[in-house]
Amino acid sequence: MAVGRIIKALSGFYYVQSNEGVYACRGRGVFRNKKITPLVGDYVEFEVRNEDEGYIMKVKDRSNELIRPPIANIDQVCIVNAATSPDFHPLLLDRFLVLIESKHIQPLIFITKMDLATQEEIERVKEYQAAYQSIGYEVKLLSSEEPQRNSDVMPYFKDKVSVFAGQSGVGKSSLLNMLDPNLFLETAEISKSLGRGKHTTRHVELLPIGEGLVADTPGFSVLEFSDLEPEDLGVCFPEIRRHMPDCKFRGCLHDKEPKCAVKTAVNNGLIAEFRYQHYLRFLEEIKMRKPRY
């Protein structure tokens, strides 16, 4: 039995990378009965049937998974924002951060188009950079005019599986191509052996970048907190999580409760006011969600 990792799923085939090469595999019928769907990023056991084909026999346990995009065993999510065009949007960034934190995945924050920003926009972005770094997040400011600044992020990809996330127009594809100018060229070559057409991001695929793998995905299509309960939300804000044990009441939602350590930390400037307001907004959204039966 061979072992490998699924690097692409397309048209009912799972392309499994092993030490011996890439095999186009089908899933066993038993998976359908057990409602197991192999995902890109899964480690699997498979039977080789001929030179480059096989059958997946077992999907190994996952450390984590995302549904949209469908991918498993992710080490980090790189959230890409623009300093301008579109404007930097901390509310949207926090929405991404909460979703990623809820899956226990490491986030990285990249802010692109610094070279296109006005001085006022640059100062605004740097203020937010300081706020997020004080929480413990890595925040990198990137510019197409300064390739050196971009190459500084390459070590973050070493030996990791990374996913890129961000709204349309922030430059995710441009950033990927800047990190590895051969990426699109190599993608065209891969298509000959893996049956892939021209470069589109309609399916998920792991591509080699900087001694690691980066998921080329259609992006996060849903940014709703459908899996989060109100009491789970605070854990997804690291600075709130740190103060939660000091709240007087167990199950405190840090909203209207008395003797709340989180609200005290906000008043004392230990938690940024904008982050707390985003927390309250997300909390209300989760509370207003229709109940699931």
Side-chain angles (χ1 to χ4, degrees), residues 248-271:
K248 175 162 186 180
F249 296 101
R250 183 181 285 187
C252 181
L253 293 179
H254 326 299
D255 183 8
K256 299 179 174 64
E257 298 88 346
K259 299 186 179 177
C260 168
V262 169
K263 287 191 287 184
T264 301
V266 175
N267 293 334
N268 292 339
L270 299 174
I271 293 176

Side-chain angles (χ1 to χ4, degrees), residues 175-195:
L175 176 57
L176 279 168
N177 212 18
M178 205 153 42
L179 293 171
D180 185 350
N182 298 317
L183 178 62
F184 291 100
L185 177 65
E186 287 175 2
T187 301
E189 290 171 356
I190 289 169
S191 70
K192 294 173 190 170
S193 58
L194 297 190

Side-chain angles (χ1 to χ4, degrees), residues 122-230:
I122 289 170
E123 286 171 12
R124 177 173 178 261
V125 163
K126 286 187 172 177
E127 282 178 14
Y128 278 114
Q129 179 190 31
Y132 283 105
Q133 285 179 331
S134 72
I135 295 166
Y137 290 121
E138 291 276 2
V139 185
K140 295 295 175 187
L141 309 182
L142 306 177
S143 160
S144 58
E145 298 296 307
E146 299 176 66
Q148 174 56 40
R149 192 188 284 193
N150 303 326
S151 65
D152 290 344
V153 305
M154 285 299 273
Y156 287 102
F157 300 108
K158 183 176 169 60
D159 300 328
K160 286 188 166 63
V161 173
S162 307
V163 173
F164 274 59
Q167 69 186 118
S168 298
V170 294
K172 294 188 296 293
S173 297
S174 301
L175 176 57
L176 279 168
N177 212 18
M178 205 153 42
L179 293 171
D180 185 350
N182 298 317
L183 178 62
F184 291 100
L185 177 65
E186 287 175 2
T187 301
E189 290 171 356
I190 289 169
S191 70
K192 294 173 190 170
S193 58
L194 297 190
R196 176 179 171 146
K198 65 181 181 179
H199 184 84
T200 56
T201 45
R202 289 184 190 149
H203 63 274
V204 181
E205 181 168 347
L206 291 176
L207 301 168
I209 288 187
E211 296 182 62
L213 293 168
V214 172
D216 190 12
T217 79
F220 285 63
S221 55
V222 175
L223 291 176
E224 295 170 357
F225 305 124
S226 52
D227 295 333
L228 274 178
E229 297 302 325

